[in-house]
Amino acid sequence: MNATPLPPDNTAGLRPQVLDWCVRRQRADWSTADEQAFQHWLEADASHRSAYLQWEQHSAAIDAIPADALAQLRRNLAHDKAQLAAAETPAPRAAAAATVLRRRWVLPSLGMAAALLMTSGTGLLAWQHWQARPLFTQAYASERGQQLEVQLPDGSQLRLDTATRLEVAYYRDRREVLLHEGQAVFSVQASPQRPFHVLSGPVGITVVGTRFSVRYTPGLAGSNGVRVAVEEGQVRVVRRDGVPGPALAQIPEALTLVAGQQISADSQGSLAPVQPVAAEGIAAWREHRISFVNTPLSQALAEFERYGSTGLTISDPAVAALRLSGTFDPSDSLTLRKLLPQALPVRLQQLAGGLEIRAAR
C-alpha cells in the first residue's frame, strides 16, 4: 500500500487549516457558501492545494487498512504514545523512540500508511483526526406535543417524545447520542465493534444492541435527573462526570440493567438503587399515556405542560403539594379539568388568564 506523506515541516503551519477544512467538509450543514470559501482558500496559494491533496491521499490510505490490522495499530499506538510520554529526559526519550522504530508488529499489508502512523508526530495527529472524524452527524428535535420517529443509517431507531432535542454522531469505532433534554426510546442494532453510547446530562449509557428509554428533563422541578429503563437486552449505566463516550468503558463504577429494570439518577449523577419497570412499561408516552403515583400536583401539572398548554395554574403551595395518582392522556386537558375535582379536594376558579386550581371550600 502506498501513502503520500503529509506536508514537510516547512508547511507545518498549514496543518491546523487543513484539519479544520477536512472536519468542516464532513458536516451535514456544509453549504454552497462554505464550498466557495474552501475553493478560495485552495486558490489563494499553491501550497494550500498541495497540502490538502496530500492529506486526502493519506486519509484514503488509512481508510484502506484492514479492520483487524487497524485494531492492532490502535493498541500499539496507545502503548507507544505512553512509552514516549514516560521518558522525561532526552536520552531515555530517544531510546524509547528507537524502540518504537524497531517494532516488528507492523504487517506488510499496512505499508507506508501504518509506518507513518508509528514513526511521526504528524502521523499520530493524522490517526487522532481520522478516529475523531464522524461518518454521520444529525440533530433531531420534536416540537411541543409532537412525537418523532427516526431511523439511523445502521437500522437503529429512535422515538422522540414531546419537546426532545438530541444529536447523533456515528464514528468508525462507536455510535453516540447526546440527549440535551426530553425523552426517547432507543432500538439499537447490535454491533459489538461499535458500541452505542447515550450521553444524558451527568449519566452515560452504553449498549451493543437493545431497546431502552432515557429521560432527561433538567428544567423540570422534581424531575431534573436522568431515568433509564430497559425493555430488551442489557444496558450499562455510569455516572460519567463529563467523561466522553469513548472513555465510558473505563469507568469501573457501573451498573448493568437487564430487561424489566430501571434506574434513576439525580441532577449530579448519583445513581439510585435499581428498580423494576412500572407496569405500563418503559415509555407509556408511546401510547399517549402518562402515569403518576403519589406525585405532587405541581409536578404533575408541569409534566402535562410539556405536551401542551393546560390553561391551569396553581398559586397556593398547599394545593401544589397535594398528591395525584392515575393515568392520563397528556394531550387531553379537558378530561384533566373534569377529573381533578373528583380526584382531589380542589375546585377550578375562572380567572382572566385561565383557570386556577384552588382548595375546595
Side-chain angles (χ1 to χ4, degrees):
M1 180 186 301
N2 295 322
T4 304
L6 289 175
D9 290 342
N10 59 358
T11 61
L14 288 178
R15 289 175 191 152
Q17 298 179 53
V18 170
L19 289 174
D20 180 63
W21 284 117
C22 285
V23 172
R24 289 172 58 192
R25 294 191 78 203
Q26 299 296 320
R27 293 176 180 168
D29 60 355
W30 180 259
S31 65
T32 302
D34 293 328
E35 181 63 26
Q36 291 175 346
F38 172 63
Q39 294 298 328
H40 179 75
W41 178 81
L42 289 178
E43 296 168 0
D45 192 298
S47 63
H48 292 182
R49 184 177 297 275
S50 175
Y52 193 85
L53 290 176
Q54 287 177 331
W55 175 268
E56 281 193 327
Q57 292 169 359
H58 184 75
S59 182
I62 297 175
D63 284 336
I65 297 175
D68 55 345
L70 203 54
Q72 181 68 27
L73 179 61
R74 183 187 299 117
R75 289 191 293 269
N76 284 279
L77 270 172
H79 177 273
D80 294 335
K81 184 179 179 182
Q83 189 177 39
L84 288 170
E88 299 180 354
T89 62
R93 186 172 182 84
T99 300
V100 172
L101 289 172
R102 287 196 302 270
R103 294 182 67 94
R104 300 299 184 184
W105 63 266
V106 180
L107 302 176
S109 62
L110 301 186
M112 290 183 65
L116 181 62
L117 285 173
M118 283 298 299
T119 60
S120 72
T122 298
L124 182 58
L125 181 63
W127 167 263
Q128 292 170 335
H129 167 70
W130 180 81
Q131 283 288 91
R133 187 174 61 188
L135 303 173
F136 168 83
T137 60
Q138 185 65 55
Y140 301 98
S142 58
E143 300 294 333
R144 188 184 188 194
Q146 177 193 34
Q147 292 187 11
L148 185 64
E149 295 273 3
V150 174
Q151 178 144 343
L152 299 178
D154 66 337
S156 297
Q157 294 181 328
L158 311 182
R159 184 164 180 175
L160 281 63
D161 190 23
T162 179
T164 296
R165 295 187 302 112
L166 55 80
E167 295 179 57
V168 179
Y170 276 24
Y171 300 86
R172 289 168 174 81
D173 61 347
R174 68 192 188 279
R175 299 164 288 174
E176 282 188 4
V177 173
L178 177 59
L179 177 60
H180 293 289
E181 64 175 336
Q183 56 186 350
V185 170
F186 301 82
S187 298
V188 179
Q189 286 290 327
S191 179
Q193 301 304 318
R194 299 175 71 198
F196 193 102
H197 304 297
V198 179
L199 309 180
S200 181
V203 171
I205 304 103
T206 300
V207 303
V208 172
T210 184
R211 182 181 298 118
F212 63 103
S213 66
V214 181
R215 175 188 172 109
Y216 177 50
T217 48
L220 199 61
S223 187
N224 59 352
V226 180
R227 185 172 71 240
V228 182
V230 182
E231 191 169 80
E232 293 180 6
Q234 296 185 358
V235 167
R236 185 177 186 269
V237 182
V238 299
R239 175 178 178 173
R240 68 187 186 96
D241 291 325
V243 171
L248 291 181
Q250 301 173 15
I251 301 177
E253 298 82 8
L255 290 175
T256 298
L257 304 182
V258 299
Q261 292 184 328
Q262 66 179 358
I263 196 169
S264 298
D266 62 20
S267 59
Q268 303 303 312
S270 297
L271 298 173
V274 175
Q275 300 288 334
V277 169
E280 62 267 18
I282 67 168
W285 51 264
R286 288 179 293 184
E287 286 75 43
H288 304 282
R289 293 183 289 114
I290 55 176
S291 296
F292 306 105
V293 178
N294 203 31
T295 303
L297 180 57
S298 58
Q299 185 177 331
L301 189 61
E303 182 68 13
F304 271 99
E305 289 288 337
R306 294 184 61 244
Y307 294 85
S309 175
T310 63
L312 300 173
T313 60
I314 305 174
S315 59
D316 185 346
V319 172
L322 293 173
R323 301 282 172 161
L324 180 67
S325 296
T327 298
F328 304 85
D329 180 344
S331 63
D332 188 357
S333 60
L334 291 179
T335 299
L336 173 65
R337 295 177 186 181
K338 293 179 181 178
L339 290 177
L340 277 178
Q342 300 175 30
L344 298 173
V346 299
R347 61 187 175 87
L348 304 184
Q349 178 69 46
Q350 183 71 51
L351 300 176
L355 294 171
E356 182 180 351
I357 305 175
R358 294 185 174 181
R361 293 178 179 174

